[in-house]
Amino acid sequence: MSVEDPVPAQDKAPVILVGVDFGTPHFDGELEELGLLAETAGLTPVARLTCKRKAPDAALFVGSGKAEEIRLLAQTYGAREILFDQALSPAQQRNLERALALPVNDRTLLILEIFAQRARSHEGKLQIELARLQYLSTRLVRRWSHLERQRGGIGARGGPGETQIELDRRMINDAIKRTKERLVKVKKQRNTQRRQRERREVFSVSLVGYTNAGKSTLFNALVKARAYAADQLFATLDTTTRQMYLGAEIGSISISDTVGFIRDLPHGLVDAFQATLQEAVEADLLLHVVDASNPNFPEQIEQVQRVLQEIGADEIPQVLVFNKLDAIAAGQLPVQMRDEYEIDGRRLPRVFVSARDGEGLQLLRQELSENAMALGKRMMSLEPAVEFRPDEH
């Protein structure tokens, strides 16, 4: 299965990547992830610039001197857009665009754009539309540039410009309301489908993990599905659910592939994707897929745990699946293919696999079988005993 590139090669705009180190432990000095996000969105990074600051500049985020450096860099490389690795306030975004005479966007909008390109289902498109509307509602002052020309002279109050911006705000708020109402209906449909699965007493598993950890590849390997999988960020956004047979003793279980998480995932997306992520919230077990070949995997695990906490899924039992065993150097291969790994004081079962080569998948199926059997025993122990009483006549 293939997905065509949504942006033709000739339309891939050259962009400059900018990151500011405020002393946070997760600062990406090489802007590697931002570069991958830009490429996924159909942009071409032509230069990268990083700097250190104690705090963001209130007006220009990076300060006037660094803004001038960015402007000269953009002229040198012919950049058509500037991308910041951190979220910018509407005022900072507006001031930077005036200073640089170029469009300026941040990580948040970039992620929203990628999601908009890749959402396929009706639900996914609705969720993206809601997140985009919520983002734009805070940036009316920047996006609607025609308003500034309508405001009148210096010191003027009110007037047609103010009326226009209020009208724009009302239109966006109405669109947000309509989109939320449509999402409520979609969520009800999902809940109906979930209740049907629960009535069949099907053990449910959700795959979660950092984007590009190989979730969809693992999903395909486990259930012989054809979910789109590629070596890129956010290759798939829509939840896919399939049945997986684990033998006569257990039967079939339900397994779902969910959207990948990422550092600084916009809160609007967490909220907007609540219906999709509900698959994780309602699951009996989470398979937390980790890219074991990525040296930053501890931080990625931490980011996933943070999002799971936000959506109320952090207490659900987890199995860590350390994927991409085939990409690990020979000298760093694990001694044991199945052991435990500690997260926040909890020791979680861990299985090493290669979803691409199939190595370790049998151990993972065994882990799933044991969890399904353990849950079945717990449920049986919770069932109330039926007391037999002979008829009294």
Side-chain angles (χ1 to χ4, degrees):
M1 180 178 178
S2 64
V3 173
E4 293 183 2
D5 191 334
V7 182
Q10 66 270 20
D11 294 333
K12 292 187 175 182
V15 297
I16 289 178
L17 311 181
V18 180
V20 184
D21 182 3
F22 295 112
T24 55
H26 64 255
F27 177 70
D28 182 2
E30 301 298 321
L31 299 179
E32 183 178 353
E33 191 169 86
L34 184 65
L36 288 173
L37 284 169
E39 290 168 5
T40 301
L43 305 171
T44 303
V46 292
R48 304 172 190 227
L49 185 145
T50 60
C51 61
K52 288 187 176 183
R53 288 187 66 91
K54 291 183 179 178
D57 179 74
L60 293 169
F61 194 74
V62 291
S64 57
K66 194 59 65 173
E68 176 63 15
E69 190 176 336
I70 295 170
R71 189 183 69 81
L72 294 174
L73 199 62
Q75 289 180 352
T76 302
Y77 287 93
R80 289 172 18 204
E81 186 176 336
I82 311 298
L83 284 178
F84 278 75
D85 198 27
Q86 291 89 358
L88 300 171
S89 73
Q92 288 167 337
Q93 207 166 13
R94 182 180 70 249
N95 294 338
L96 281 165
E97 288 191 336
R98 287 173 174 169
L100 303 176
L102 283 172
V104 174
N105 287 305
D106 59 15
R107 181 186 181 91
T108 300
L109 184 66
L110 188 58
I111 293 173
L112 287 171
E113 290 297 327
I114 293 169
F115 274 52
Q117 289 175 9
R118 301 201 178 276
R120 294 288 178 266
S121 71
H122 174 60
E123 178 187 4
K125 290 175 182 177
L126 279 177
Q127 291 163 332
I128 290 302
E129 180 64 15
L130 177 60
R132 281 161 64 95
L133 286 168
Q134 290 171 332
Y135 179 86
L136 286 174
S137 69
T138 66
R139 281 160 167 75
L140 281 172
V141 69
R142 187 180 85 85
R143 293 293 175 185
W144 276 256
S145 57
H146 66 281
L147 302 179
E148 294 181 3
R149 294 193 295 270
Q150 298 180 17
R151 283 203 179 116
I154 296 173
R157 297 283 182 181
E162 188 172 11
T163 303
Q164 180 64 51
I165 199 168
E166 288 300 324
L167 179 62
D168 287 338
R169 183 174 287 114
R170 191 180 307 115
M171 289 173 63
I172 283 192
N173 288 337
D174 288 345
I176 288 173
K177 183 180 177 181
R178 287 195 304 271
T179 307
K180 282 183 174 179
E181 288 171 351
R182 294 166 72 186
L183 270 172
V184 166
K185 293 180 181 178
V186 172
K187 194 169 182 178
K188 285 181 179 177
Q189 292 171 353
R190 273 200 175 276
N191 286 336
T192 300
Q193 295 168 355
R194 190 175 296 110
R195 281 196 297 270
Q196 290 174 348
R197 289 202 301 268
E198 289 171 353
R199 278 199 295 270
R200 294 196 300 267
E201 297 182 348
V202 175
F203 182 77
S204 62
V205 177
S206 282
L207 275 67
V208 298
Y210 207 79
T211 184
N212 207 30
K215 290 188 295 82
S216 295
T217 304
L218 178 62
F219 179 78
N220 290 338
L222 289 173
V223 301
K224 306 297 188 289
R226 289 187 175 183
Y228 179 61
D231 185 18
Q232 58 186 206
L233 304 185
F234 303 118
T236 180
L237 298 180
D238 300 312
T239 297
T240 306
T241 302
R242 295 287 185 272
Q243 297 295 304
M244 177 180 174
Y245 185 68
L246 287 178
E249 189 175 1
I250 295 170
S252 293
I253 67 171
S254 170
I255 185 164
S256 299
D257 183 18
T258 62
V259 62
F261 303 153
I262 197 167
R263 174 173 62 82
D264 300 330
L265 184 71
H267 284 286
L269 275 183
V270 174
D271 294 338
F273 268 73
Q274 194 71 4
T276 298
L277 296 175
Q278 198 70 18
E279 292 290 341
V281 177
E282 300 292 340
D284 297 309
L285 178 71
L286 300 179
L287 288 188
H288 181 164
V289 185
V290 179
D291 179 358
S293 68
N294 191 317
N296 297 319
F297 77 78
E299 181 196 328
Q300 294 184 349
I301 289 175
E302 182 183 337
Q303 295 294 331
V304 172
Q305 293 298 125
R306 188 172 299 165
V307 177
L308 289 175
Q309 188 173 15
E310 285 188 41
I311 65 173
D314 53 318
E315 295 299 324
I316 297 172
Q318 286 185 43
V319 172
L320 291 170
V321 183
F322 272 47
N323 189 26
K324 303 192 181 181
L325 195 61
D326 53 288
I328 299 177
Q332 298 177 331
L333 290 170
V335 177
Q336 293 180 299
M337 293 287 287
R338 192 178 177 191
D339 58 11
E340 290 184 336
Y341 186 89
E342 186 172 323
I343 298 179
D344 298 330
R346 288 192 301 167
R347 296 196 66 80
L348 301 178
R350 172 173 64 171
V351 181
F352 285 89
V353 305
S354 169
R356 176 176 292 178
D357 297 345
E359 189 176 2
L361 292 185
Q362 188 54 42
L363 282 176
L364 180 56
R365 290 189 182 94
Q366 185 179 336
E367 184 71 41
L368 287 171
S369 298
E370 291 174 5
N371 275 271
M373 290 177 66
L375 179 66
K377 290 177 181 177
R378 286 199 301 272
M379 296 302 292
M380 289 179 63
S381 67
L382 293 175
E383 290 180 0
V386 179
E387 184 180 352
F388 175 74
R389 292 185 178 180
D391 291 339
E392 297 179 0
H393 294 292

